[in-house]
Each structure stands twice: as structure tokens, then as C-alpha cells.
Amino acid sequence: MKNSLNKYDVLIIGAGVSGLFMSYRLKSMGLSVLVLEKADQLGGTWNWNRYPGARCDIPSLEYSYQFDEDLQQDWNWSEKYSAGTEILEYLKHVADRFDLKEGINFEEEVVQAKYDEENTLWSVKTSKSEYESKFCIFATGCLSVPNKPNIKGIESFEGEVLQTASWPREKIDFSGKNVAIIGTGSSSIQTIPEIAKDVKNLYVFQRTPNYSIPSNNGPMDTEVEKNVKSRYSEFRKENYLNGFGIASDSGEAFISESDLEEVNSQLEENWNSSGLGFFGGYADIPVDVSSNEVAASFVRNKIKEVVKDPETAEKLCPEYHIGGKRLCVDTGYFETFNKDNVHLIDINQDPISQVGAETIEANETYQIDILILATGFDAMTGALTSLDILGRNEINLKDQWKEGAKSYLGLGVTNFPNLFTITGPGSPSVLSNMMPSIEQHVNWIADCIGWMSENNKSVIESTETAEDEWMQLVNEIADTTIFTSTKSWYNGSNIEGKAKSFLPFIGVPAYTEKLEEITAADYQGFVFDKSN
Ligand code: NAP
């Protein structure tokens, strides 16, 4: 494409882990690329989620790029599980090292993307300007649009309101303050032990308790690091052959076929070492309700051992299938409820009736200085449906997805030619290690664009049939697991009015195989240069 001022081969929306690597790949192919980022700096998730205690619960040696051997050898992580601040530092290093900052426009929010069928171009309107491009790639993340709860009176609160998903950059002084936090998902479970250290009182408003496994985090074991670095690419390949694409997820035995005493001692070992891998520690935890209950009950007993007050412990014990909601990994979460200044309020028992200027009413009146919303995200689709993306015949993606998002492979959407999503609905994404899943998608998109150029193809679009069949497969697989019978953000249950459909593809190896098969068959399920 001839490049005039605002014309590019590719526009990439988002400068997080996906957008950065996508721009690297496409620039290396000689394409003109612009990245549009609404924040004032790069990093995506790791830029926005700056709350105290923010940390990745995938081990650092796995939660990192693998596209450049020198990069993965040179970078040293300080802890087994990296803090958000260190991951952000790493992403800035990557951007500097590969000269990626140049092509990013910061503080520029995309408000509309519209496909011009006649000229086969995307027109993109932002808060500052307008652009045209041949391809439009949404690298907007799966968990990037915060969920703002609809609680009576919340707008009248006169103290500080903070949201874990868009935390301010300046340090918040919690000392001597009465703080309330609403929500008890991964973000809250990470931040509660940190915030509890300084506050006068911390009131935790819980709607649904969560299962959480201790991280046993600590400084990076240099022997482990040395070993991994001596065989990094093999290590990555082995991990990606596991169901959820992480190293510790490798249990092949079934609880249902094992001796219960042995199971409990193995679960004890996994509790002490596996973090998220606890869920995959036995092959039938994700698929067999009775086996799942053995693991769930093990964790409930742990909670009751740790939390001294039996009533509080009982409230903290989840009843649903373990892993049905995203499993959490913590550093001293349950222990925090033994502190005298930490109070758990079960809002099923004592619903929040309203928020006042300085109070929260929930059976009792709580005096509050700071209110923290740890209420999650409009997951998987929010970043795509919160703006206007107009495809063929001006079909709006949010309307097309009203009854539930449909995508082919999580990469393409019918009626939206030359538009790609990175880790979109229908791909393993949030049920895998995001880093390699992102790299897989970025590489696929870049290779596809390269293939199109070599084969004189201008426009790619997935077919409705391929998409329907794909989403049917996603659901068929999900129906064999415990995931569909639990209310969670995986199936849209956390957002009022959102279609309830299960969106991630379960099983990294099966997905990878399908992707390779489809690609080898000249992108089966996609059509090229379809006439308008
Ligand atoms: P989340 O898991 O969706 O948790 C949100 C919490 O807010 C839930 O407890 C939810 O209750 C509650 N909630 C929502 N609306 C509410 C309302 N109106 N009133 C009362 N409670 C309400 O969100 P998150 O903790 O931000 O985590 C989201 C995901 O981000 C995680 O599952 C994980 O995948 C990712 N994450 C990862 C890490 C990491 O270490 N890698 C760290 C943080 C987050 P219900 O359960 O009843 O809906």
C-alpha cells in the first residue's frame, strides 16, 4: 500500500503483550504498521492493574516471550512468580530492545473501526484522528474492560474510589484508613494481604468465595533457571503439549482410579508446590464431578485449617466445582482473615443496601474512607463490543454477537474481512498460559498475511459455516468438563445482560493441531477475495 500520512498496511489496537509482538513481526516483514494505545504507556494488563500485590500466577520462566533466544537468555527474573511491576519493566525492555516504541501512538483511543467494502480498507476513528489500513488487528486483551458494579448510591460516595483494573500510578496511603473492598476474585485475593498490612480496618464484601492455592513464591531458584535456560525451546515445547499449556499441568492419573490416601498425599504435595497446576494435578479434576469434589474438599479443609474463626472459615469455603471459576493463587490470603482488623461480610447473607457519602450499609453501617472495586471485567468480548466495529453492510460486531460471541479459531469473524483478533473467543486464551498463546496467534496472523501476499490474495474472511462448526466444537468440549456448570466470567455470567455462552477452547494441544491442519489446507474455513 502507498503510505500517505494516515494510511498503513496494518493498524494494531493495543500495545500490551500482543500488540508489541504483533508490531515486531509485521515490521520485520517490511509492512507499515501503527499501534494505537489508549493508555499513556505500553504494557496493557500490566500497565493498568497496578494494585498492591499484582503478580502473575504463571511462573516467570514460562510467562515471557520465546520469539528471541537472546532475549530469553539475557533476561533474569527475580522471583518464581513475577510482580506486575517487573513484568512491565520487561515489556518496556522488549520495546526498547526491538525498537517498537516509535510506532505506537499513546493516549489515542479507538472509537470506531469501519470496513469500506468498495476499497477493501478499514477506516479507524480515534479520539484524535482517522486512519486507513488494509488489515486491522485487535490486540485488546481478554480482561481489559473493567466491570463497574451497579450498587445503589455508589456515585454519592465522597471518599476515594479505586478499581483494581485501573489503579492509579501514585502510591495510595492506606495507613489508619477504613477501607472496603468489593469482590473476591484473583485481583482481590492478591491485594487483600497487602492492603491489610496498613489499614485501620479492611471490610471485605464477598459475593462468592474462591478457591485459592498458595503460591509459595520466593526468589528465583538459580539452579532451576539455569536448567530451563540450557534447554529453553524444549521446555517451551513440552509445556505447550500440556492441556492448559503450563509446565506443572501434567498429572495423568485419575482420582477416580486411585487410592484415596495416596490422592490426599499427592494433593498435599501439589498444594505445596503447584499453584495453578493444582487443577491439572489429576487428569479427571476438570472433567469428573466426583473427582473434582475430592480436590475441592481438600482445599476447603485447608481453608478451615488456616482460618481460626470457624464462621469466617465457613464463609470463605466455595461450594461450586474447583476450577469452574478461574482458580486463584495467593500469598497469605486466607491467613489475612486471622487479623483483627480484617472483616469478612458475606453479601448473600447481608446484602449491600446502599453506599452513602462515607458509608456502606449491609445490615450494619460501615464507616469507609476508601472503596476498592475488585469486581472483574467484561471478559473475552468487552474490548471488542465496547466500541463500534462495523463490518460488511455496516453490521456492528456487538449486534452480531448479541446472542453470544462467535469466531473462527478466535482469530477471524465472518462479515469482518481482514480483521484479526489475538486470543479471541474460541481460542484457548484464558484457559492457557497467555504468553505462548499470544505468540501462537501473532505468528499465525503474520504468516497468514505473508501467505496472502505471496499468493496474490487481498482479503481474508472466515465463513459462517466454519465459525458455527468451530463454536459447536468449543461447546461440545466444554460440555464434557465442569466449566459450564459454574457461573463465571468464562461464560459471561458476571455481566448483567450479557449472553451466556462459554468462550474459551479447552485444550491447547488439540487447538494447536487443528490450527496446523487448517493452515496446511490453505486456510480451510476462510475465503479469500470474496466478491461483495
Ligand atoms: P473476577 O475474578 O471476575 O472477580 C470479581 C469479583 O467481584 C468476584 O468475586 C465477583 O463475584 C465480584 N463482583 C462482581 N460484581 C459484583 C457486584 N455487583 N457486587 C458484589 N460483588 C461483585 O475479577 P478479577 O479478580 O479482577 O480477576 C479476573 C481475572 O483476571 C482472573 O480470573 C484472572 O484470570 C485474571 N487475573 C490474573 C491474575 C494473575 O495472577 N495472573 C491476577 C489478577 C487477575 P462473583 O464471583 O459472584 O461474580
Side-chain angles (χ1 to χ4, degrees):
M1 179 181 288
K2 187 169 167 285
N3 294 317
S4 62
L5 193 59
N6 281 349
K7 265 191 165 175
Y8 294 86
D9 292 320
V10 188
L11 286 169
I12 298 171
I13 326 297
V17 172
S18 319
L20 286 177
F21 181 44
M22 192 77 247
S23 74
Y24 168 79
R25 276 295 318 263
L26 296 175
K27 280 176 165 182
S28 312
M29 290 161 64
L31 297 170
S32 64
V33 179
L34 177 70
V35 181
L36 296 164
E37 169 57 58
K38 80 172 169 192
D40 60 355
Q41 70 163 314
L42 56 81
T45 286
W46 302 107
N47 171 45
W48 291 106
N49 293 262
R50 290 181 284 245
Y51 57 84
R55 187 174 289 288
C56 186
D57 54 15
I58 305 275
S60 317
L61 289 165
E62 296 174 58
Y63 193 84
S64 51
Y65 289 120
Q66 58 188 295
F67 69 89
D68 187 272
E69 182 59 21
D70 289 342
L71 169 68
Q72 65 179 3
Q73 290 296 334
D74 292 351
W75 186 266
N76 298 315
W77 296 102
S78 65
E79 291 175 281
K80 179 179 175 192
Y81 294 101
S82 298
T85 43
E86 192 166 339
I87 300 173
L88 190 56
E89 219 179 284
Y90 168 76
L91 294 175
K92 286 180 183 166
H93 167 80
V94 171
D96 289 339
R97 187 172 178 130
F98 298 101
D99 205 12
L100 302 174
K101 268 201 212 135
E102 199 53 6
I104 308 174
N105 282 9
F106 291 104
E107 295 184 88
E108 189 161 352
E109 183 170 4
V110 172
V111 290
Q112 189 195 68
K114 186 174 169 184
Y115 187 62
D116 168 355
E117 293 188 54
E118 204 176 311
N119 298 303
T120 62
L121 287 176
W122 279 95
S123 302
V124 172
K125 262 192 214 159
T126 72
S127 47
K128 291 183 177 164
S129 191
E130 293 189 22
Y131 303 89
E132 273 185 353
S133 64
K134 184 169 172 186
F135 295 98
C136 195
I137 302 177
F138 282 83
T140 37
C142 297
L143 294 155
S144 44
V145 173
N147 170 36
K148 298 236 156 78
N150 184 9
I151 298 174
K152 192 175 161 205
I154 202 163
E155 63 297 333
S156 63
F157 183 68
E158 287 174 6
E160 194 160 9
V161 181
L162 303 168
Q163 185 133 18
T164 46
S166 52
W167 199 264
R169 205 161 274 146
E170 63 273 13
K171 194 170 166 15
I172 307 292
D173 181 12
F174 288 108
S175 54
K177 302 266 171 58
N178 288 316
V179 178
I181 184 162
I182 300 178
T184 47
S186 294
S187 304
S188 190
I189 280 175
Q190 289 186 333
T191 205
I192 281 172
E194 289 301 312
I195 290 173
K197 287 177 186 165
D198 298 327
V199 292
K200 184 170 173 196
N201 285 295
L202 179 62
Y203 300 102
V204 179
F205 290 86
Q206 173 187 272
R207 185 162 73 182
T208 316
N210 254 302
Y211 294 97
S212 187
I213 312 295
S215 70
N216 295 300
N217 191 29
M220 176 62 71
D221 180 329
T222 48
E223 277 310 303
V224 172
E225 185 183 27
K226 212 162 106 193
N227 180 278
V228 166
K229 285 191 172 180
S230 72
R231 49 186 296 278
Y232 225 144
S233 59
E234 277 310 299
F235 174 76
R236 304 276 198 185
K237 271 188 215 141
E238 285 162 15
N239 301 344
Y240 219 55
L241 289 174
N242 288 328
F244 297 105
I246 58 172
S248 52
D249 158 47
S250 50
E252 280 167 16
F254 285 66
I255 289 182
S256 60
E257 293 170 0
S258 309
D259 172 72
L260 208 52
E261 212 169 299
E262 275 171 31
V263 168
N264 276 316
S265 97
Q266 183 63 52
L267 289 177
E268 182 73 33
E269 199 180 314
N270 296 354
W271 170 264
N272 288 318
S273 61
S274 305
L276 274 187
F278 183 90
F279 182 58
Y282 277 93
D284 53 354
I285 296 176
V287 291
D288 180 314
V289 171
S290 310
S291 303
N292 186 284
E293 180 52 27
V294 172
S297 141
F298 177 91
V299 176
R300 287 196 284 266
N301 286 336
K302 284 288 178 194
I303 297 171
K304 288 174 188 162
E305 267 171 38
V306 172
V307 180
K308 292 191 185 122
D309 172 43
E311 206 184 314
T312 306
E314 197 57 52
K315 286 181 190 165
L316 287 166
C317 283
E319 288 301 328
Y320 51 85
H321 306 316
I322 186 167
K325 278 183 192 291
R326 167 65 153 70
L327 190 60
C328 302
V329 178
D330 69 280
T331 303
Y333 175 65
F334 295 115
E335 290 81 349
T336 305
F337 290 91
N338 291 331
K339 295 179 87 147
D340 292 338
N341 65 339
V342 178
H343 318 276
L344 181 68
I345 298 112
D346 175 354
I347 64 169
N348 298 298
Q349 203 178 300
D350 299 314
I352 298 176
S353 54
Q354 81 169 46
V355 175
E358 300 172 349
T359 55
I360 294 185
E361 313 264 350
N363 198 13
E364 277 178 46
T365 300
Y366 300 89
Q367 284 295 324
I368 306 294
D369 303 305
I370 300 178
L371 170 58
I372 301 173
L373 303 175
T375 43
F377 300 87
D378 182 355
M380 315 280 302
T381 55
L384 300 165
T385 54
S386 59
L387 65 149
D388 287 317
I389 305 178
L390 307 171
R392 286 189 191 280
N393 301 314
E394 302 207 5
I395 294 172
N396 197 320
L397 185 65
K398 67 177 91 162
D399 295 330
Q400 185 161 310
W401 282 1
K402 215 172 204 143
E403 305 301 324
K406 281 190 185 178
S407 155
Y408 185 41
L409 303 165
L411 282 159
V413 185
T414 190
N415 288 323
F416 294 83
N418 282 358
L419 176 146
F420 295 110
T421 54
I422 300 176
T423 61
S427 71
S429 61
V430 292
L431 279 176
S432 70
N433 176 359
M434 286 300 288
M435 273 276 191
S437 288
I438 284 170
E439 282 187 292
Q440 179 184 53
H441 270 191
V442 167
N443 285 326
W444 187 91
I445 293 167
D447 293 347
C448 175
I449 291 176
W451 183 91
M452 285 174 68
S453 161
E454 282 160 22
N455 291 277
N456 292 320
K457 312 278 188 206
S458 287
V459 181
I460 181 172
E461 183 179 351
S462 54
T463 68
E464 199 174 343
T465 312
E467 198 173 278
D468 283 342
E469 286 173 3
W470 184 255
M471 292 316 282
Q472 197 181 330
L473 178 65
V474 168
N475 282 289
E476 275 169 16
I477 297 172
D479 285 342
T480 65
T481 70
I482 52 84
F483 284 107
T484 46
S485 49
T486 308
K487 280 186 176 176
S488 74
W489 57 255
Y490 294 134
N491 51 39
S493 303
N494 66 327
I495 301 289
E496 232 179 285
K498 184 168 176 173
K500 307 291 170 267
S501 61
F502 186 83
L503 298 176
F505 184 100
I506 302 170
V508 165
Y511 178 82
T512 303
E513 212 174 288
K514 284 269 177 201
L515 198 61
E516 285 168 359
E517 250 173 57
I518 286 162
T519 311
D522 288 350
Y523 299 94
Q524 186 187 24
F526 290 94
V527 281
F528 293 93
D529 300 327
K530 176 177 152 185
S531 54
N532 296 324

